[in-house]
Amino acid sequence: MNTPTAPAAERPDAVPEGFEDRFADLAAKPAPGRQREVAERLRALVPAHCLLYREEDTRPYECDALSAFRQLPMVVVLPETEEQVCAILKACRELDVPVVARGAGTSLSGGSMPHASGVVLSLAKFNRILSIDPLARTARVQPGVRNLAISDAAAPHGLYYAPDPSSQIACTIGGNVAENSGGVHCLKYGLTVHNVLRVRALTIDGEAVEFGSEALDAPGLDLLALMIGSEGMLAIVTEITVKLVPTPPLARVVMASFDDVVTAGDAVARIIAAGIIPAGLEMMDRKATVAVEEFVHAGYDLEAAAILLAESDGTAEEVADEVARIEQVLREAGATGIRVSNSEAERLLFWSGRKNAFPAAGRLSPDYYCMDGTIPRRNLGRMLASIAAMEEKYRLRCMNVFHAGDGNLHPLILFDANDPDEWQRAEHFGAEILALSVEYGGTITGEHGVGVEKIDSMCVQFSRDELARFSAVKRAFDPPGLLNPGKAIPTLARCAEYGKMHVHGGRLAFPELPRF
């Protein structure tokens, strides 16, 4: 029996003409007069103070926290209402203008880097907590609300929002949804995807859609999970309902020292194998602890090759039992020293060191490159040994901090971006870490997203057919390819050009984009 061939537009690996080009050319300059045309169209939709188009006004939006990649946007618009967002999207659809949503700009993967011929749609003015329901244990918020502000608002009800990225004092919940952010307590309480119940968003056509439900389950396909972590490529989020959890009556942190990083990595796997799920389980090597101690004076053991921070929370009886079990496992795993926080102030001090690892790195080096691979816990020791060898290979220092409980790596490669050779070596160093993450059975990202930073590494992890299906999902939500183009999903041509792994070809990622 002969099976008819589907038309090209219906095949999952087919890419409509011109669709891939939108993904490829972030630095394409607008045609003469285009900026004026777009600005005048948007000026009719928002108040004058909500529109920026002069270079000195748009310069602060040229990059996110991954500042190595920079691009001035054509126009920046800061709407104040959902109706304005709807009108902006419809206008951009009609004008065929790319749209890049932006929150606080704390992304570490270039996820909110502008398109040279596009509009940055800032949701900074969507910063209201709309309601808190202490009985249902939910909060309904706008996407520009800071992560920590949700917990502050819920605290009088004995509740808080569990996912706590290190940037939680600044990052927004909309950005957390875009990247599926985690934090030091994600081992027990889950990532953003496990703590968001409902998302309201607008498509590129300005149509309002809702994903998920405030009920225990929602009918149909789980499109909410698809939206979370989609990096602003499918729709623009305007409202989010998050789950709140009770504030535990007690929490204590066990800090263990190890004289070898591989032994420390293996201890993480032993804790989980013992059936213990701490509220948080983090790891830092000596370079990280020394940098942090000088910065926040957290009381870390500076002689240890690595330290583990394991938190237990619950009732006093539950915490006492779990802490005793954790201490036993750590001693059997080869810990050379163990301390347990004896007050809430000391517990917070222990965590302040871990949460300030990134700014501490900034005090040691002009620049740092933060990676975000995830591997099975059993391979943590192997990965740390491999990273040490890469330091010699690339002649660069690397501080290692981990969400060790779920195998989420955050190596901080120290370099000077003013030296093009160092920047190239840092890129290659990071790409090799990600390639090894895949080889060890993991993935190229845990919570920072792909953005522009890891787009070539997507070619390492996924096959041509898989990437074509990712593009098909993108087209289903955004047929013209206008929402955050050039991010997360590499073109098939790009993967062919880079030969599966750009580090082996000695090429720089995104040579067309301006660096520092």
Side-chain angles (χ1 to χ4, degrees):
M1 179 177 178
N2 293 326
T3 303
T5 302
E10 296 178 10
R11 294 199 303 270
D13 62 342
V15 178
E17 184 177 352
F19 190 84
E20 280 206 338
D21 292 340
R22 294 192 188 281
F23 285 73
D25 203 4
L26 285 168
K29 300 299 181 184
R34 182 64 160 168
Q35 182 188 46
R36 178 182 295 274
E37 176 190 15
V38 173
E40 288 181 352
R41 181 67 176 273
L42 297 181
R43 187 182 289 118
L45 305 176
V46 297
H49 65 272
C50 295
L51 189 67
L52 308 174
Y53 54 88
R54 296 185 179 87
E55 181 176 334
E56 63 267 29
D57 295 327
T58 61
R59 179 69 66 182
Y61 296 87
E62 68 178 349
C63 66
D64 53 23
L66 182 68
S67 59
F69 298 105
R70 301 188 179 199
Q71 180 62 68
L72 276 174
M74 184 170 63
V75 176
V76 177
V77 61
L78 297 94
E80 298 174 321
T81 67
E82 185 177 88
E83 291 74 21
Q84 290 174 2
V85 176
C86 179
I88 291 165
L89 291 172
K90 287 181 178 179
C92 289
R93 174 72 161 93
E94 184 178 331
L95 294 169
D96 202 36
V97 175
V99 179
V100 178
R102 182 184 176 96
T106 58
S107 167
L108 287 162
S109 63
S112 58
M113 192 186 76
H115 192 292
S117 298
V119 169
V120 167
L121 196 163
S122 170
L123 294 159
K125 293 178 181 289
F126 281 66
N127 57 6
R128 291 190 300 130
I129 295 176
L130 301 173
S131 66
I132 291 180
D133 186 338
L135 296 180
R137 294 180 181 172
T138 62
R140 190 165 58 90
V141 304
Q142 292 183 317
V145 171
R146 292 180 302 107
N147 175 289
L148 189 58
I150 300 176
S151 293
D152 289 342
H157 305 287
L159 303 169
Y160 75 108
Y161 179 65
D164 55 345
S166 295
S167 59
Q168 68 178 146
I169 193 172
C171 67
T172 61
I173 188 64
N176 294 170
V177 168
E179 307 293 355
N180 191 22
S181 303
V184 299
H185 291 96
C186 64
L187 176 60
K188 181 174 181 178
Y189 293 101
L191 301 164
T192 300
V193 70
H194 306 111
N195 289 275
V196 169
L197 299 173
R198 170 187 157 273
V199 163
R200 179 178 171 86
L202 298 176
T203 69
I204 187 60
D205 295 312
E207 178 188 0
V209 288
E210 292 199 1
F211 304 91
S213 164
E214 294 186 30
L216 292 177
D217 197 5
L221 298 175
D222 188 6
L223 297 180
L224 176 63
L226 183 65
M227 274 296 298
I228 298 173
S230 61
E231 303 193 31
M233 298 178 67
L234 305 183
I236 303 297
V237 174
T238 58
E239 188 178 299
I240 303 155
T241 301
V242 302
K243 179 172 64 176
L244 302 174
V245 295
T247 304
L250 179 67
R252 299 177 74 190
V253 174
V254 180
M255 181 168 64
S257 303
F258 292 84
D259 57 12
D260 179 78
V261 291
V262 175
T263 303
D266 292 342
V268 173
R270 290 197 185 199
I271 289 174
I272 304 301
I276 304 169
I277 306 297
L281 183 54
E282 300 287 306
M283 178 176 170
M284 304 170 69
D285 70 5
R286 178 184 285 137
K287 285 189 286 293
T289 55
V290 169
V292 163
E293 189 63 21
E294 292 178 356
F295 185 48
V296 299
H297 308 293
Y300 290 162
D301 180 356
L302 301 184
E303 299 302 316
I307 65 168
L308 288 182
L309 297 172
E311 179 166 287
S312 176
D313 65 9
T315 64
E317 294 78 13
E318 290 170 335
V319 170
D321 177 68
E322 189 169 83
V323 165
R325 293 171 62 203
I326 290 173
E327 288 186 272
Q328 180 181 350
V329 172
L330 290 172
R331 288 193 184 93
E332 293 173 354
T336 57
I338 295 176
R339 286 177 56 192
V340 181
S341 61
N342 56 26
S343 67
E344 178 64 4
E346 188 171 40
R347 180 187 77 87
L348 294 175
L349 188 60
F350 285 175
W351 281 127
S352 72
R354 168 60 186 88
K355 291 202 170 194
N356 281 285
F358 291 4
R363 300 174 76 243
L364 295 183
S365 175
D367 304 282
Y368 64 84
Y369 193 26
C370 178
M371 303 313 298
D372 177 44
T374 300
I375 61 174
R377 287 180 292 264
R378 65 179 181 276
N379 288 324
L380 280 175
R382 290 176 64 196
M383 176 59 85
L384 287 167
S386 297
I387 289 175
M390 291 180 211
E391 288 185 88
E392 297 293 327
K393 175 180 178 180
Y394 294 106
R395 306 189 310 280
L396 293 170
R397 295 173 296 162
C398 182
M399 292 168 46
N400 289 292
V401 295
F402 297 88
H403 296 311
D406 62 353
N408 188 192
L409 322 172
H410 289 326
L412 299 169
I413 301 167
L414 308 181
F415 72 104
D416 183 354
N418 294 310
D419 182 338
D421 179 63
E422 279 204 16
W423 170 223
Q424 185 169 5
R425 281 186 277 129
E427 276 199 302
H428 291 179
F429 193 161
E432 187 167 346
I433 291 173
L434 298 182
L436 200 57
S437 296
V438 175
E439 183 179 325
Y440 285 170
T443 181
I444 64 168
T445 183
E447 58 172 336
H448 293 175
V450 176
V452 296
E453 176 204 23
K454 304 186 187 77
I455 198 164
D456 291 330
S457 296
M458 288 285 285
C459 304
V460 176
Q461 180 157 6
F462 298 104
S463 70
R464 176 186 177 90
D465 287 346
E466 289 169 324
L467 292 173
R469 281 163 175 76
F470 293 162
S471 291
V473 172
K474 163 73 171 167
R475 295 196 304 274
F477 282 83
D478 176 23
L482 293 174
L483 292 176
N484 211 11
K487 314 289 175 59
I489 306 172
T491 64
L492 301 182
R494 184 181 193 90
C495 287
E497 176 189 352
Y498 282 89
K500 284 287 187 181
M501 183 58 181
H502 71 81
V503 65
H504 297 317
R507 298 179 181 222
L508 276 171
F510 294 94
E512 72 279 8
L513 291 180
R515 296 302 205 272
F516 287 83

